[in-house]
Amino acid sequence: MRFFVLQNGLESRATHYFNETLGWREVCAAMGIPCRIYANRKAGPEITGPLDALPTFTFAADDGLPFDRETQALHDMVVKSLHFAQECRLLDAHGVTAEDVVIAPYAGPAELLGLAYWLESRKRPARPRIVTIMHRQGDDWQLDATRRAVVAGQPAPIRYGAQRLVKAAGDDRLLFAANSTTLAHLLTNVTDVAATALPVLLRHGMAACFDAGPDGEGRPAYRDRRFDVGLLGEFRAEKGSRIGLKALMRCFQDRPGLTGVVQVADDVQAEAVGGLVAGVRGAGGLTVLKGELTPGEFETCVGACRLLALPYHPVRYAARVSGLFVEATAWGRPVVAPAGTWMSDMIDAGRAVGERFETLSLDTFHATLLRALDNLPELSARSRALAPAWRRSECTENAIAQIAAWARRP
């Protein structure tokens, strides 16, 4: 059995794809599973060299191809799937067999349909096992109160891709997976193909090393600094970044001496942050990080915070995993997160710790953030106690072990 990993989003070191792919290679090697990596054609030798990856794919799962607004989703699926199927022919040349496992770690409608086309070009006895991993709900989907049904939006592309793929692969040779139970339930209902929940593909070595730090919190320093509150990740609208920053500035006024860190992409965002905090009492306690952080820097920065603020729009994250939430919980850091999301599901299940807000507004997020700060010692103690179990469960090692166990079944 060999793994053929189709990382069509792997283009540079600046994204999470590189570290995740490194995890695939290292964990598979430790488990004695030969693993071959296929990257995006944009990946240069600085990417393909360390990973021994082949630049293969034209489009990443998130790439959009501007066309007609009314048929955009259909156009993306048709055009990208045809490219994907043709590019998968490279696996034929590399001798993929029915004993092997072909894995699409970031699958969307185009990847599902492209894999179906490619499988259909092979005789059925020669078709390998297939694993597809979904990471989020459709961007235009609106869910019902249970978050298990789509009441608005276009689920047809994902349903069509899943239906075609299960017919081409066979029920017992397709692992149609999601990276959370919440999303797996939704996808099962949307596609009528049973979806399996897999652990999140992240590694937590640094957090484990700092778990028993001398300060009792195991907090590393990021550039010689530690912070009370972190507002990290991309500074964009769907993550409620402006509301989060304004709420944090109110907390700075309410709690003198508070420190925080916010991450921005460029000078334009840094200037916007400067305008939002200008004249706020205590704003000198805010550190602004500008530019892309390496995965190691980002992980260190999460660990350097006592509390992580996640002012995300609940509708966008109803069934979607947050990588920042995963890393915060692995460090044993409590969070402030939206109710009615996968994040709040984890808090409700007792797997993570944090305070929840019902609707995203400046007043509600400020009040929730303040409540978390006031309860921080108790929240932190509970979160640190849960962190080891979380790291063992939600990690690359566990995900790959589960895929390998599935593939070895008779």
Side-chain angles (χ1 to χ4, degrees), residues 48-103:
T48 57
L51 297 173
D52 191 22
L54 288 166
T56 305
F57 296 103
T58 304
F59 300 114
D62 287 339
D63 286 350
L65 311 176
F67 190 64
D68 169 62
R69 186 171 64 87
E70 295 299 320
T71 60
Q72 184 64 58
L74 180 63
H75 177 74
D76 285 349
M77 181 178 69
V78 169
V79 176
K80 290 166 61 178
S81 65
L82 291 173
H83 277 270
F84 197 83
Q86 184 63 34
E87 288 151 358
C88 281
R89 296 273 187 170
L90 186 56
L91 278 66
D92 298 332
H94 291 161
V96 69
T97 72
E99 299 304 313
D100 295 322
V101 184
V102 175
I103 304 163

Side-chain angles (χ1 to χ4, degrees), residues 135-156 158 180-191 313-321 339-345:
H135 285 253
R136 66 191 192 197
Q137 66 212 60
D139 288 340
D140 66 340
W141 293 2
Q142 294 181 32
L143 309 185
D144 68 358
T146 70
R147 289 180 288 134
R148 294 195 177 190
V150 176
V151 295
Q154 296 185 44
I158 189 72
S180 77
T181 302
T182 306
L183 184 56
H185 286 313
L186 175 63
L187 290 173
T188 298
N189 292 337
V190 165
T191 65
H313 284 278
V315 170
R316 295 284 288 171
Y317 280 83
R320 181 176 171 183
V321 166
T341 64
W342 169 80
M343 293 170 277
S344 64
D345 290 344

